[in-house]
Amino acid sequence: LGEGAQTGFHLATHANMSKVMTRRLLRACIVSGIFQEVRVAGEDVNDDDRYYLNTALGHTLREDIRLSLKSSFHSIVEDMGPPSMKLWSAVKDDNLLPFSLAHNYSHSASAVWQYFKDRPAQAIQYRKAMTSSEAFGAGALVHDFRWGAKCRTVIDLGSGHGTIVANILPQSPALRGVLFDLPSVIDQAEAHWAEEPRRELAGRVSFARGDFFDPATIPAGGPGEGGGAVACYVMKRIVHGWDDGSVERILRN
């Protein structure tokens, strides 16, 4: 739909779907607040000729907008939805994990990452989902801490595409950012920043590949450039996905 309006007949034809089922789906989306129906004044139209528009909620699911939630929706349904159906089995046994039960993986904290390693397309979708979700709550993280006064370099551990750093760096022209993540993720991050229109901002970002379980690969948090304040480490939505022992290793490293 984009910014315009389309008939149900056009949408069904474009998606190669049944007209009847498309009509039912569109009505369900209207009830959910995703689409709105536009009636042509003064005309007696049948169901095929009714026009549909995106609502404000519907626009968030478009792929062609900044921080689209489309990938988040798909990742929740396809990757994280099935484990939620296994929660009851898992809470009765300390040795069972919902994600492993749902996707038939070993019951370890690394199961989710092995799942994405085995499914590159799902991994890209998950990374896009994390990038869009990182923007929510970023305002408080950015404005409730005096980044420029406290540090010279911001090191984002588990950075993804670097949404957090992109929000922090404009707070001070002296700040620099380091994105740290697995090699495959940093490859995507470099491609993402190569298209960043704010070239001055992109010039203050560097990339580091590694694993936060391997302390030798984590960027050093020594004095910032020119001395003075030390670098600051940032982790957002990282440790919640690991068992206690793994979290202790991450923080210790």
Side-chain angles (χ1 to χ4, degrees), residues 55 63 77 114 140 154 169 176 178 188 221 241 246 248 250 252:
T55 62
E63 193 170 25
V77 172
Q114 185 61 48
V154 178
L169 292 191
R176 301 189 64 83
V178 178
Q188 298 172 30
S246 296
E248 288 179 4
I250 293 170
R252 187 178 300 114

Side-chain angles (χ1 to χ4, degrees), residues 2 7 13 23 28 50 57-58 74 81 85 87 91 95 107 111-112 115 125 140 160 163 179 189 191 198 212:
T7 65
T13 302
R23 191 180 309 128
R50 298 183 189 278
L57 177 61
H74 280 286
M85 304 302 293
L87 181 60
V91 297
N95 298 312
H107 293 277
V112 63
Y115 168 87
Q125 176 175 271
T163 303
L179 308 187
R198 295 170 294 180
F212 43 48

Side-chain angles (χ1 to χ4, degrees), residues 4 15 26 76 117:
L26 289 169
I76 290 171
K117 184 177 180 180

Side-chain angles (χ1 to χ4, degrees), residues 118-141:
D118 294 340
R119 296 166 175 79
Q122 295 299 109
I124 292 174
Q125 176 175 271
Y126 175 75
R127 183 49 55 195
K128 289 181 178 179
M130 292 299 292
T131 296
S132 62
S133 66
E134 284 169 2
F136 296 99
L141 178 65

